[in-house]
Amino acid sequence: QKEVEQDPGPLSVPEGAIVSLNCTYSNSAFQYFMWYRQYSRKGPELLMYTYSSGNKEDGRFTAQVDKSSKYISLFIRDSQPSDSATYLCAMSANEYSGAGSYQLTFGKGTKLSVIP
Amino acid sequence: DTEVTQTPKHLVMGMTNKKSLKCEQHMGHRAMYWYKQKAKKPPELMFVYSYEKLSINESVPSRFSPECPNSSLLNLHLHALQPEDSALYLCASSQVVPELGGEQYFGPGTRLTVT
């Protein structure tokens, strides 16, 4: 079983739809959860960051973390064609090494297309 | 400002060339990272610098040589690359201690083509 599972899609929705993107994970040590948006041939852009369980909202985006189920979600309301991109979930554990650094584990990414 | 900058944006090099990729951030982050990303794949960690010292090298071939001259700059020196090294090379930065902020910020990347 991979550490982080993410449905690669592709996912195609009409403009204005609510989009739900999800990741499941197996490592119970993960505490820091991120969603990145990546346009074609560009670097990942941090959309949402959540520590531990709970919800976080930023404009049209809502991130949810359910640590008991090892499940995270990103909701996009009123989706726009400009939201068409690949969405990557990423997470890390608080494994503080002597060198003081930590690593992200990524999902494979979900490619989203919002059709006008 | 949460910006990480990378130069150049595009690079084409032959297998015998030597070139360098550059990365800069001014967020006060003391952890900096190099990732390699192939098409339709997530980023793959190459190196981690913490307090300007190399802390993680993910078994990367020696033809890739990282350098962290100061807390804001990160370089990746390239020599004798192979065509399979063609990819998007991403720099990222973060706080060293996750409790101060566990998120990583990525630069726009350098698209490298090895001919």
Side-chain angles (χ1 to χ4, degrees):
Chain A
Q1 182 187 10
K2 290 186 169 43
E3 272 202 297
V4 177
E5 300 272 7
Q6 182 177 9
D7 187 337
L11 180 62
S12 185
V13 302
E15 183 175 354
I18 296 175
V19 176
S20 173
L21 304 170
N22 312 294
C23 289
T24 58
Y25 62 95
S26 57
N27 186 349
S28 58
F30 287 145
Q31 294 190 54
Y32 305 92
F33 304 93
M34 284 139 274
W35 285 96
Y36 290 91
R37 176 174 65 194
Q38 187 170 24
Y39 293 112
S40 181
R41 304 170 77 85
K42 302 290 185 184
E45 172 193 2
L46 180 66
L47 275 181
M48 301 291 282
Y49 166 67
T50 310
Y51 168 66
S52 194
S53 285
N55 293 358
K56 187 172 184 178
E57 188 172 322
D58 184 0
R60 296 185 295 111
F61 299 91
T62 299
Q64 290 184 352
V65 174
D66 181 348
K67 290 189 69 181
S68 61
S69 303
K70 297 191 178 69
Y71 186 87
I72 69 170
S73 301
L74 178 71
F75 297 96
I76 307 174
R77 290 183 297 282
D78 187 25
S79 56
Q80 302 295 308
S82 58
D83 295 328
S84 298
T86 295
Y87 289 80
L88 291 155
C89 66
M91 48 199 79
S92 67
N94 187 11
E95 292 171 346
Y96 187 86
S97 72
S101 57
Y102 63 101
Q103 300 182 53
L104 291 183
T105 301
F106 286 90
K108 288 191 171 184
T110 300
K111 185 170 184 178
L112 171 67
S113 295
V114 181
I115 311 302
Chain B
D1 182 13
T2 56
E3 189 178 23
V4 177
T5 59
Q6 289 187 245
T7 56
K9 290 184 180 178
H10 304 276
L11 179 62
V12 179
M13 60 185 292
M15 291 192 286
T16 58
N17 292 158
K18 286 185 180 180
K19 296 286 185 183
S20 297
L21 310 184
K22 296 184 184 301
C23 172
E24 189 168 6
Q25 58 88 15
H26 294 287
M27 293 179 275
H29 291 164
R30 302 298 295 275
M32 296 186 76
Y33 309 78
W34 281 115
Y35 289 86
K36 173 182 177 180
Q37 187 177 26
K38 295 285 232 180
K40 299 184 179 181
K41 299 284 187 183
E44 179 184 333
L45 184 66
M46 299 174 72
F47 302 104
V48 181
Y49 272 84
S50 178
Y51 297 112
E52 297 83 68
K53 292 191 190 313
L54 184 64
S55 62
I56 294 176
N57 175 340
E58 290 287 359
S59 303
V60 179
S62 60
R63 57 186 184 268
F64 295 91
S65 176
E67 177 195 19
C68 190
N70 61 52
S71 60
S72 300
L73 294 174
L74 188 65
N75 298 322
L76 186 63
H77 303 296
L78 314 173
H79 173 56
L81 294 192
Q82 303 297 310
E84 59 265 28
D85 296 322
S86 299
L88 182 68
Y89 287 83
L90 296 162
C91 174
S93 72
S94 73
Q95 299 284 359
V96 169
V97 179
E99 289 86 347
L100 297 178
E103 66 272 41
Q104 291 186 20
Y105 294 90
F106 284 83
T110 293
R111 183 155 299 281
L112 174 68
T113 303
V114 181
T115 61

